[in-house]
Every structure is written in C-alpha cells, then in structure tokens.
Amino acid sequence: TGMRVAVVGAGVSGLAATKCCLDEGLEPTCFEQSQDIGGLWRYTEHIEAGRPSLYPSVISNTSKEMSAFSDFPFPEHFPVFLPNALLLDYLRRYTEHFSLRQHIRFESTVVSIRKHPDFAATGQWDVVTEAGGKQTSHVFDAVMVCSGNFSEPSLPLQCFPGIERFRGQHFHSRQYKHPDVFQGKRVLVVGMGNSGVDIAVEASRVAAKVTISTTRGAWLLSRVFEHGYPWDMILNTRLMSLIKTSLPGPLSWWLINYKVNQWFNHENYGLQPENRYSWCWLVREPVLNDELPSYILTGRITIKPGVKEFKDNSVLFHNCPEEEPIDIVVFCTGYTISFPFLEESIVRVENKHASLYKYVFPPQLQKPTLAVLGLIKPFGAIMPVAEMQARWVSRVFKGRGANVSPPVAQNAAQTKLDMVCPFTQGDPRAKKFRWLVYLDTLASFIGAKPSVLGLLCTDPWLALTIFFGPCSPYQYRLGGPGRWQGARQAILTQWDRVLKPTRTRVPAGSSSSSLSLLTVVGFLLLLAAVIFGFL
C-alpha cells in the first residue's frame, strides 16, 4: 500500500492537497466536518460552529486568471472577478474533473491529531475522527492541515473601554449576512479590512449614517485598474516584482505612494496609513473596494480615528472631542489561528502568529510529516499559493528531495522571518512575504520554476509573455513534476478569457478575432507606459 495521508478540511487548500497527493501516488483521506466541499466559499444562511461564515454579496478580490489552479483554468465565460457562488461552482468542477470526491469523508470531524508512539522512527500520526456521534481512530503516515483561518473570530472587547455599558447592538463581522439589520440605524464599523469596508458600503445603502473607525488607515485599490484591466494582472508581474525588489526602499515607497494615490488622494479621504512608508506591498495588504471613495465623497460613509471610549448610546474617537451617537457596532477585528485538534507543542501560535518554516512546516518536528496549508494572507490569490504548498508538501512526504530543512544559521534573521506565518494586518514580520517571490521559492524546491532565460532561446514569445505579462499560475506547469501540456496555451490565451465575459458588444468595424496577439501586444505597450509613468 502507498503512503496514507490525512487531509483536514475540503476547502480550497484541502482540495488542492488531496489532488496533489494523488498526483504523487499517495493515498489521501480528506475529512470534512460539513456535508459538502468549498470551505469559506460555500455560503450558508445559518452560521455553523467551526466553519467560516460568508455573506451572500462576497466577490473574489483576485481575478479568475490569477486565482486558478495551475492546471485547471476557469471557464472563459465566467466573470473576471467571481461571486462566491461561481467560485464554489469552479471548486465543484475541479473536484469532479480530478475525481476527488471519492477521497473525501463528509460530516467527519477531526477530534485530535497526536504523534504515534514510534513517531521518531516512523513519523506517523494517530488521528481520531468523529462521525454520527461515533469516534474512530486511524493511523496515518502524514497529515496536511487545511482547516483555514476564518473560523475563530477575534473580538478583543477589553480593548474598547465602555463597551459593557453600550446599550445598542454589537457583533463580530462573522455574524453578518444581510444589510436589513442596519435599516435606518446609525452604524459604526470598527476595523478597515476587506470585510469591514464591504459591510460599511452595504450598510450605507439602508442606514441613516455609517462611520468607519480605523486606527492605522489603509491603502485602497480598485479591482478595475490601469485602463480597466484587473489590478492583479497589472501589479503581479515578474517585471514589477523585479522593480520592487531591486529599487532602494525609500524609492520603492515613494513610487507606491505615488501609484496608489493616482486614483484618489488617500489623505484627503481620511484613509492615508498612519505610517505612509508602511506601504501595502510590504507591511499590510491593501483593501480592495470599488465604491468606498465615492461613498465618502457623497457623505454616505465617514472615516474616523480609533475608538477611545463607548458611552450608553454613543462613541468617542481619539482626537475628536464630540460624541457620535450610534445604534449598532460591527467589529471587523479579524480572526485568530486555532487548531483545537492539535497539541500546542506541534504548532506554536503566539500573538496570532504561527511559527512555521516557509509558512508550512513546524520546524521542531523530528520528521516532516505534518504540514499546514493556506495559513497566509498574500498580496495576491490564495489558490495558487495553497496549491504550490500542496505540491511541495506532497513531494516532501514522498521523499523526493524537495527542500524542507531550514537554512543553516549563517542567515538566522531571514530564517526567523521564514518561520513566522503572518496573519494579522500591519505586523512588521509580514514584510518579507511577497506573492510571486514565495511562489517562485516553493516552485524552485520542486523544479517547477519557469526559466525565462531558457525560454528566451527556445520560445521567445512565451518568455516575453511570462516576464512582462501577469504571473498567472499556469507558468508553474510548463516544466518539472506535474508538467501540464496545456500550460503554454493557457498562458497565451489568458487575455482572451479576460475579455470574453466583458467584450459582449463589438462595435461595427471592430474585429473580435485574434484577441490573443492584439491583447498581449496591447498589454506590453500598456506596461511600458506604466513603467515610464513610474520613472
């Protein structure tokens, strides 16, 4: 028999983990506590304990071409940014295409994962699951933890003086479903992540007044970026990554400040981050929202500093002497990392951070047979990251020479950064995490990193597209283990799939054919203009 692997959770990471195990000839068993796949992306009207909770209006923040699994593009007719129902549909298609469902045990909760008595020799794990009120013990050769990080809300009420005497309603954003609850109310949203801004925008359509309280501020990006193209297909390119990593820090900071303020001046809208040099690419992810600036401009939403104190029916903000009357408070204060089925010694979590080598492996284990997937918040799509982690981990489990050892002490500072998994926004330890650099690093471990210079000799058009164009996930299937024959074609037709759902009216005299060549050339010219605009 092959190596038996337990996969915890059947969301994005769990499905990728199951598929990658099968690719490597391993025998995965995926335990999913609910009755269906999808994890975060499966909307339910009621809130289920231990599961992420989604509000029905959620749309993906990353475009379909940058969010796809590397050997399974989204259907061309799907919109560029995906409503949650369509993203779930994509996950269902992925599950069926690669025959994953037969390896998933639904309504099976993982109760505990403990080292087997002879772990030092075998690396095995004792896994206890519960289904239908009955517990079952299993022995697995390896474990992939894919339980996500959006199930345990962080609600530090002790940080908000006077909240105990506030007479209005207050709840965590995890409990939010529909804006009806805000009808005619004065609403305060505490926190300015993606959920906080989404909820504030929705609430402002029915509420009497909406205020966002933010201590640090945030950079704001629109999904609709340069010349109407998706933001991540413009910003997450190899050329842009090279510019960001090569320029001196202060110059990089100035360029990014300049770029994000081209849409609107953040300072004039009360959004400028507290430390203007803590730019989103390095310290905290930006907020993605297309509507907030116009809602501020039309008075629907007001931005205020951090909360100083709650009163019976009002709130005081720092540096603001006037009390603001409010009826409802929504705390958009994020989530905590939680592994209730693991002993604390396995994955150490301190201050909402898990110590993991390359954000995946607990460094203190004698045998690298347990990995945590999808526990990061990249400036880019999570699906290609979770999949790349799964490809690396499954090869480590298989014993195929993929790097898993932390580097020697000659670079102790970088090693420490590599072993801190950033989860909270604004943590300085998150600054070294870059989406493309991280993907390239893991890809190099398994021999799947594309060689632009090598391709320049054999396939120059593809090489130029890879370097100047978006770093779409298909690049990591051009060679190495798991090579996919359709990767080259997927890369060269990616702009076709972007234009297909939007270019639904073609004016007379305009050609809709040969989109691949035209759009790629157009994009390269656009990118050149963007770079010269920078410089």
Side-chain angles (χ1 to χ4, degrees):
T1 61
M3 187 178 194
R4 299 180 67 238
V5 180
V7 179
V8 184
V12 165
S13 300
L15 294 174
T18 303
K19 191 258 186 188
C20 291
C21 282
L22 293 171
D23 288 347
E24 290 296 334
L26 309 179
E27 296 181 6
T29 302
C30 179
F31 297 101
E32 169 55 45
Q33 67 176 353
S34 71
Q35 69 270 29
D36 204 355
I37 66 162
L40 173 68
W41 293 102
R42 184 170 67 82
Y43 172 77
T44 55
E45 184 61 36
H46 59 286
I47 299 170
E48 300 175 19
R51 274 200 74 241
S53 178
L54 202 66
Y55 42 97
S57 59
V58 166
I59 295 174
S60 67
N61 284 333
T62 52
S63 64
K64 65 177 181 179
E65 290 305 302
M66 303 296 277
S67 303
F69 290 118
S70 59
D71 54 359
F72 195 71
F74 277 87
E76 63 174 9
H77 67 276
F78 274 33
V80 179
F81 290 94
L82 298 134
N84 59 81
L86 280 181
L87 214 152
L88 179 60
D89 181 24
Y90 171 76
L91 295 178
R92 293 197 196 285
R93 291 168 185 246
Y94 182 79
T95 301
E96 297 310 314
H97 182 79
F98 293 109
S99 304
L100 305 182
R101 192 169 287 272
Q102 67 199 65
H103 301 280
I104 304 172
R105 296 189 188 179
F106 294 105
E107 299 185 282
S108 295
T109 302
V110 174
V111 177
S112 75
I113 299 174
R114 300 288 183 266
K115 290 180 181 178
H116 196 61
D118 60 353
F119 176 85
T122 65
Q124 290 182 325
W125 297 87
D126 291 327
V127 179
V128 178
T129 61
E130 185 174 316
K134 180 185 176 184
Q135 290 196 352
T136 308
S137 297
H138 322 255
V139 176
F140 283 96
D141 299 305
V143 175
M144 289 186 179
V145 178
C146 307
S147 53
N149 49 29
F150 294 103
S151 299
E152 192 73 34
S154 172
L155 188 52
L157 292 179
Q158 70 277 6
C159 297
F160 299 96
I163 188 65
E164 68 283 348
R165 69 173 179 232
F166 176 61
R167 293 178 182 173
Q169 184 183 359
H170 67 81
F171 56 88
H172 189 274
S173 57
R174 183 174 185 267
Q175 296 177 263
Y176 173 73
K177 292 293 181 181
H178 303 283
D180 309 6
V181 67
F182 304 126
Q183 186 74 46
K185 304 288 188 181
R186 296 163 299 187
V187 181
L188 171 64
V189 175
V190 178
M192 203 179 160
N194 288 306
S195 294
V197 174
D198 280 354
I199 292 170
V201 165
E202 286 197 9
S204 70
R205 296 177 187 136
V206 297
K209 185 177 184 181
V210 175
T211 303
I212 296 177
S213 167
T214 173
T215 302
R216 292 192 305 265
W219 295 120
L220 195 70
L221 289 182
S222 172
R223 293 178 178 87
V224 185
F225 209 63
E226 302 278 353
H227 297 259
Y229 290 112
W231 72 270
D232 51 354
M233 295 184 77
I234 300 293
L235 290 178
N236 281 339
T237 71
R238 294 189 175 278
L239 177 61
M240 294 295 281
S241 179
L242 184 64
I243 291 172
K244 286 184 286 190
T245 54
S246 301
L247 290 177
L251 182 55
S252 292
W253 292 331
W254 180 86
L255 288 176
I256 298 303
N257 271 275
Y258 169 76
K259 202 65 189 168
V260 294
N261 277 315
Q262 277 192 316
W263 181 21
F264 67 94
N265 187 315
H266 283 60
E267 195 166 348
N268 291 347
Y269 284 66
L271 298 174
Q272 180 84 29
E274 193 74 17
N275 177 0
R276 66 182 302 123
Y277 295 112
S278 295
W279 48 284
C280 53
W281 275 256
L282 286 183
V283 175
R284 64 168 298 179
E285 62 176 284
V287 173
L288 267 291
N289 194 275
D290 308 307
E291 298 165 293
L292 181 61
S294 66
Y295 279 47
I296 295 173
L297 206 58
T298 54
R300 292 187 182 188
I301 295 175
T302 304
I303 308 296
K304 291 285 189 177
V307 170
K308 182 179 181 181
E309 184 184 4
F310 283 99
K311 305 284 189 178
D312 290 355
N313 299 295
S314 61
V315 63
L316 267 173
F317 299 104
H318 288 289
N319 304 318
C320 295
E322 306 88 8
E323 292 183 20
E324 181 138 344
I326 49 167
D327 304 304
I328 298 180
V329 183
V330 186
F331 287 102
C332 301
T333 45
Y335 293 82
T336 58
I337 299 175
S338 175
F339 304 109
F341 45 81
L342 282 178
E343 292 178 310
E344 289 184 14
S345 61
I346 303 298
V347 178
R348 297 193 180 101
V349 178
E350 295 178 14
N351 299 322
K352 296 187 183 180
H353 291 82
S355 293
L356 298 167
Y357 175 61
K358 296 298 180 188
Y359 316 127
V360 173
F361 285 101
Q364 73 279 7
L365 290 179
Q366 303 116 302
K367 301 278 186 180
T369 56
L370 183 140
V372 181
L373 275 62
L375 200 65
I376 48 183
K377 294 179 73 174
F379 182 56
I382 185 63
M383 281 192 279
V385 171
E387 181 195 34
M388 186 61 73
Q389 290 176 332
R391 290 175 69 184
W392 175 41
V393 168
S394 57
R395 289 185 68 77
V396 169
F397 288 172
K398 187 76 172 179
R400 293 197 166 166
N403 179 39
V404 73
S405 301
V408 291
Q410 63 183 8
N411 195 357
Q414 181 60 46
T415 302
K416 190 171 183 181
L417 277 168
D418 286 342
M419 288 169 53
V420 175
C421 182
F423 185 60
T424 52
Q425 292 181 341
D427 191 288
R429 290 175 291 183
K431 67 181 181 180
K432 291 293 181 183
F433 179 77
R434 291 191 180 96
W435 185 79
L436 199 158
V437 173
Y438 181 70
L439 283 172
D440 273 357
T441 300
L442 297 195
S444 67
F445 289 168
I446 63 172
K449 179 184 175 182
S451 169
V452 177
L453 288 177
L455 285 170
L456 205 54
C457 302
T458 60
D459 196 339
W461 181 244
L462 180 62
L464 291 172
T465 305
I466 284 175
F467 184 72
F468 289 101
C471 184
S472 45
Y474 323 119
Q475 295 187 13
Y476 298 105
R477 292 285 180 177
L478 287 168
R483 183 174 180 267
W484 175 45
Q485 294 292 336
R488 182 182 186 275
Q489 183 66 11
I491 294 167
L492 296 180
T493 57
Q494 58 196 350
W495 288 106
D496 289 357
R497 290 187 298 278
V498 171
L499 292 183
K500 175 74 172 180
T502 60
R503 201 176 184 188
T504 51
R505 173 186 165 271
V506 181
S510 174
S511 172
S512 60
S513 59
S514 303
L515 285 178
S516 295
L517 181 61
L518 290 173
T519 51
V520 170
V521 170
F523 175 77
L524 295 182
L525 292 173
L526 164 67
L527 197 60
V530 170
I531 294 164
F532 283 116
F534 262 173
L535 303 177

